[in-house]
Amino acid sequence: MSGIALYATDVIALARKDLRLELRARDTLPAMLLFVLSTLAVFHFALPAGTDRDAAYGLLWIAIIFTALLGLARAWAPEREGGALDGLVLAPCDRSAIWLGKSLATLAFLGAAELVAVPAFALFFAPVDLVAVAGVALASIGICAVGSLLAAMAAASRGREVILPLLFLPLAIPLVVGGVGAGISPNGATYLSFLGLYDLVFAILAWATFEYVVTE
Amino acid sequence: MTTAPGHAIVGESVEKRYGRKRALRGVSFTLPRQGFLLVTGPNGSGKTTLLRLLVGLAVPTKGNLSVEGERSALGYVGHEPLLYRELTAFENLDLFGRLYRVPERRERSGMLLERFGLWEVRADRVSTFSRGMTQRLALCRALLHDPALVVLDEPFTALDEDGSALLDRELAAMSGERTVVLSTHDPGRVASLATHRLVLA
Amino acid sequence: MSSRNNLPLLAFLTAGLLGLGVVLAFVVAPEDADQGISQKIFYFHVPIALTAYACFGLGAWKALRLLWVGGERRDLESYTWIHQGTIFGALTLITGSIWARASWGVWWSWGSNQLVLFLVLVLFYCAYFMLRFSVDEGARRERICAVYALFGVALIPVSFFAIRLASDFIHPTVFTRSGPQMTHTMFTAFLVCWAALTLLAYVMYRVELVGKRTDAHLRELREALT
C-alpha cells in the first residue's frame, strides 16, 4: 500500500473509532444538540423586540462557537481515560493522522449539531440562504482543525476545561467574522474566500505542528 | 530511534528532568539483543521514567540513549493500559493492529486473546473488565505486532494469580527470542530469566 | 560574557534616544493642523505597535527554532520575546485609547482596525501565559508553547484581514492616523521614536532573559549539590 493510502486508512480508522465511541456512549452529541437549541431559545428572550435580522444572525454564530467548545472539551476524553493517546503516539502511524482523524470526527459531530441549529434558526428568527450555509460549513472546518489541536494542548494542562475557551476564542474571531459576513453581507463570496484562506492556513499549521503537541 | 551497533540499547549518563524535578539521575547501561534487563529500585527512583525514555514517550534532558529499531518494533506495557475503555477487547486490538500494520490482524488478535484467556470476553467493553483482565489485554496489545523489543513497567502489579502465571509463561517464551526490559517491585519472580540487572537509587 | 557587558551601554543609549524622541516629538515637530496636540501620541503609538509585532515575530521565530533544533535556551528566549510583545501590545491599546479619546472623545472605537487587531492579539497572548502556567514544566510545555506562538504569528495577518472585512458591517467610521504627507521633522521624530522604542524592547528582553537564565543556572547548581 502506498504511503498516502496508508495514511488515509489510518485517518479513517481513527475517525471511525471516534464515531463508534460516540454512538455507544451517546453523551457528547445529544448534549451539543440540546445545548444549541437551548441557546437559541435563550437568545429569543435576550433580544429586544424588533431586532433586525442581521443582529440575530450574529447570535447564531455565538451558539455555534459555544456548542463547538462543548464538543471540543470532550474530544480527547476517550484517549485520556485509558491512556490511549500514548498508545496512538507509540504506533508507527504519522502523528498528524491522529489529529486529522480526530478533527474529522469532531467535524461530523459539529455538523450534526448545525444540521439542527441552522434550520431551527431559520424557523425561530430569520431565513438563511445558501451562502450563509456555505459559510457555516467552511467555518466549521476551521473550528475543528484548530480546536482539536488546542484541545490536545488543553488536555496536557492542569486546568483542563477552563483553558480551552481561552485558547480557542481569539482564534475563533476571524471565523465568526467570516461566517457572519457570509450570512449578512451583500458580497458574501469575499467572506467565503476568506474562510477558505483561514482553513487552509490553520489546517496546514495544525497538521504540521500536532506532532510537537503530543510528543516530548 | 537511532540504531546502536551490536547492542539493542545503549544508555550513557541518561538523565531526565521535568523543570525543577529530577525524575531520573544519570544512568548508564547497555543491553545486547535478546537480552533480558531487570530494572529494580524503590518508588520514585525513576523506573517508569526510564522505561518511557526507552520507548520514546519522553526524551532525555542529558546524556544519550540509543534504542535499536523503529516504533513498529517496540511493545510497551505501562502503568496505564493504553486502551479505549468503551471499545471491546477485539475492537481495541483491531484498531491497534491496523495502526501497526499487523498482517492478518484478525487471526493474530484472536490468537492472542485466546493465549491470554480473554477469548470469552472479546466482544465485551474494556470498561467491564477487571483490572487483571485489562492488564492482560494491554499485554495482548503490546505483543500484537510481534515486537523485537518489549518494555514492561511493573506488569505483575495489576495481575491476578492466573494472569501472573500467564505472564510468567509469556516471559519465559520471550527470553532469548526478544529483547526484554522489565521493571518490578518483586525481582524474585523473574530473576531466573534476567541476563542483566539495573538498580536505580 | 561579552554580551552582558554591552547591556548598560545599550540601556544608556535607549534612555538617550527616548529623551531625544520625546523632545523631537513634543517640541521640535510642528503641530498637526487637524488634530493638534493629540497627534503627538502618534509618535509613540505607531512605533509601539510596530515593536509589538516585531516581538511577536521574534517569539515565533525562536519557537520555530525550538521545534527544529531544540534547546531549553530557545524556550526562554521565545517566552521572553512574547512577554515583551504582550507588554508593548497592551501599551498599544493604552496609547491608542488615549489617542481615540483625545481625537474623538471616545476611549474605544471598533472602527479602528489597528486597535481591534491588538485587542485580539493581546487576548491571544494572554492565553499563552495562562497555557504556560497551567502545564507542568518540561519538554512538553516548551513544545506546546512554541506551537501556540506559531499560531499567534499566523493569526496576525489573518485577523488583520478579518477585521478589514468586518469593518464592512461593524462600523463604517474612518480612522485616519495622520495625513499622508509628513514633514521632514515629523518623519525624523517618528524614526527616532521608533528606534528608541525598538531598542527599549531589546534592552527589556535582554534584562528579563538574564534574570531567567540566572534562575535556570541557580536551579542547576542546587541540583548538582543535592
Side-chain angles (χ1 to χ4, degrees):
Chain A
M1 251 187 165
S2 75
I4 295 189
L6 269 175
Y7 189 88
T9 49
D10 288 343
V11 170
I12 291 171
L14 288 164
R16 272 175 60 188
K17 168 259 303 172
D18 280 315
L19 292 174
R20 184 175 299 158
L21 283 170
E22 181 53 35
L23 247 57
R24 243 170 239 177
R26 277 188 291 262
D27 51 13
T28 306
L29 191 53
M32 287 169 77
L33 293 175
L34 191 59
F35 180 79
V36 84
L37 286 175
S38 307
T39 312
L40 289 176
V42 169
F43 286 159
H44 166 75
F45 294 103
L47 283 177
T51 308
D52 76 332
R53 177 198 170 250
D54 288 357
Y57 193 69
L59 291 174
L60 171 65
W61 277 94
I62 297 181
I64 290 177
I65 293 291
F66 284 97
T67 306
L69 272 172
L70 195 71
L72 285 168
R74 289 200 50 79
W76 295 97
E79 276 77 16
R80 279 208 300 269
E81 277 168 6
L85 185 59
D86 276 350
L88 294 180
V89 168
L90 279 175
C93 62
D94 212 321
R95 273 66 177 261
S96 64
I98 304 174
W99 163 80
L100 188 54
K102 185 64 72 176
S103 299
L104 289 174
T106 313
L107 186 59
F109 300 146
L110 185 60
E114 287 162 352
L115 272 171
V116 168
V118 175
F121 177 84
L123 186 65
F124 295 158
F125 296 97
V128 172
D129 66 2
L130 207 59
V131 178
V133 171
V136 170
L138 281 173
S140 300
I141 295 174
I143 289 173
C144 294
V146 170
S148 305
L149 181 130
L150 294 177
M153 284 186 185
S157 83
R158 289 189 295 272
R160 291 205 177 121
E161 277 77 52
V162 180
I163 196 115
L164 182 59
L166 299 178
L167 298 174
F168 179 67
L169 287 174
L171 284 163
I173 288 176
L175 287 171
V176 173
V177 169
V180 172
I184 69 176
S185 165
N187 38 327
T190 320
Y191 290 89
L192 290 181
S193 327
F194 170 75
L195 284 173
L197 177 72
Y198 182 104
D199 289 347
L200 192 68
V201 168
F202 282 99
I204 291 178
L205 190 58
W207 175 86
T209 57
F210 185 76
E211 158 120 35
Y212 300 102
V213 172
V214 288
T215 57
E216 266 200 40
Chain B
M1 293 289 180
T2 53
T3 51
H7 290 285
I9 304 175
V10 176
E12 294 164 13
S13 307
V14 177
E15 195 181 293
K16 180 65 183 169
R17 226 180 58 210
Y18 289 97
R20 272 162 253 269
K21 267 188 333 194
R22 187 175 350 188
L24 180 69
R25 284 172 184 240
V27 72
S28 302
F29 65 100
T30 61
L31 185 66
R33 292 192 197 109
Q34 281 101 43
F36 195 118
L37 176 66
L38 186 61
V39 180
T40 53
N43 279 334
S45 53
K47 298 195 294 295
T48 299
T49 308
L50 175 62
L51 267 56
R52 285 175 65 90
L53 288 168
L54 285 176
V55 294
L57 285 174
V59 172
T61 36
K62 275 207 195 121
N64 293 316
L65 183 63
S66 325
V67 178
E68 191 178 51
E70 298 169 344
R71 298 205 298 265
S72 52
L74 279 170
Y76 176 67
V77 177
H79 279 297
E80 298 207 60
L82 272 57
L83 297 165
Y84 285 97
R85 287 174 47 81
E86 292 306 318
L87 289 181
T88 69
F90 198 77
E91 283 166 347
N92 265 293
L93 291 182
D94 192 55
L95 175 66
F96 283 103
R98 204 187 280 263
L99 294 175
Y100 275 94
R101 332 252 184 260
V102 174
E104 295 171 353
R105 62 173 182 277
R106 299 247 153 92
E107 289 79 6
R108 209 166 144 71
S109 304
M111 182 201 75
L112 275 166
L113 285 170
E114 214 166 341
R115 214 154 87 194
F116 280 88
L118 294 171
W119 179 253
E120 306 297 313
V121 292
R122 69 190 179 282
D124 292 345
R125 294 190 223 172
V126 174
S127 54
T128 63
F129 285 10
S130 69
R131 201 161 161 232
M133 290 159 75
T134 311
Q135 185 74 329
R136 278 189 262 160
L137 185 60
L139 284 160
C140 292
R141 186 194 47 73
L143 297 171
L144 186 62
H145 51 288
D146 206 11
L149 170 61
V150 182
V151 177
L152 306 119
D153 193 355
E154 297 186 14
F156 286 100
T157 46
L159 288 173
D160 49 15
E161 272 290 331
D162 293 336
S164 299
L166 279 168
L167 183 55
D168 280 332
R169 190 195 65 197
E170 285 301 319
L171 288 172
M174 272 189 245
S175 74
E177 292 281 315
R178 306 177 207 266
T179 313
V180 179
V181 177
L182 185 144
S183 80
T184 179
H185 270 145
D186 181 16
R189 193 148 198 149
V190 287
S192 54
L193 296 169
T195 60
H196 294 70
R197 272 184 190 249
L198 181 62
V199 182
L200 298 176
Chain C
M1 278 173 26
S2 62
S3 58
R4 244 188 256 176
N5 286 341
N6 66 13
L7 195 54
L9 175 65
L10 284 174
F12 272 119
L13 191 57
T14 306
L17 270 177
L18 267 176
L20 179 62
V22 169
V23 165
L24 282 177
F26 282 100
V27 178
V28 177
E31 243 182 58
D32 182 77
D34 301 309
Q35 299 188 34
I37 197 108
S38 65
Q39 183 264 351
K40 303 285 184 183
I41 295 182
F42 153 82
Y43 293 109
F44 298 99
H45 171 75
V46 176
I48 289 176
L50 294 173
T51 309
Y53 286 135
C55 290
F56 292 140
L58 281 164
W61 171 246
K62 291 290 180 186
L64 192 62
R65 294 289 292 168
L66 174 85
L67 294 179
W68 260 345
V69 178
E72 192 186 325
R73 190 187 90 205
R74 294 197 172 84
D75 173 59
L76 288 178
E77 291 170 356
S78 174
Y79 171 58
T80 310
W81 274 125
I82 289 178
H83 191 200
Q84 305 315 318
T86 313
I87 293 173
F88 277 78
L91 283 172
T92 308
L93 287 174
I94 293 171
T95 52
S97 179
I98 294 174
W99 195 1
R101 173 71 181 160
S103 296
W104 327 298
V106 283
W107 287 107
W108 179 259
S109 162
W110 285 104
S112 159
N113 290 353
Q114 171 108 302
L115 219 51
V116 174
L117 175 60
F118 266 87
L119 179 65
V120 174
L121 289 180
V122 168
L123 286 173
F124 178 88
Y125 284 103
C126 282
Y128 172 92
F129 294 105
M130 305 233 52
L131 179 64
R132 194 174 172 93
F133 297 146
S134 72
V135 177
D136 292 326
E137 260 187 285
R140 185 84 183 271
R141 182 177 85 165
E142 291 178 8
R143 290 181 147 205
I144 286 178
C145 289
V147 170
Y148 194 73
L150 291 176
F151 269 78
V153 99
L155 185 65
I156 294 176
V158 172
S159 278
F160 178 72
F161 280 123
I163 292 164
R164 270 263 289 272
L165 284 175
S167 57
D168 195 9
F169 54 81
I170 287 181
H171 245 258
T173 57
V174 177
F175 183 6
T176 49
R177 244 184 258 128
S178 68
Q181 304 99 329
M182 271 196 272
T183 67
H184 227 58
T185 31
M186 282 170 123
F187 193 60
T188 315
F190 177 79
L191 282 180
V192 170
C193 285
W194 190 7
L197 285 160
T198 307
L199 203 55
L200 176 65
Y202 179 66
V203 168
M204 284 167 68
Y205 163 80
R206 287 278 298 274
V207 169
E208 189 174 327
L209 196 59
V210 164
K212 288 195 170 17
R213 289 224 182 109
T214 313
D215 272 343
H217 282 159
L218 264 175
R219 192 201 311 147
E220 272 175 40
L221 280 173
R222 217 181 289 131
E223 293 257 313
L225 289 172
T226 51

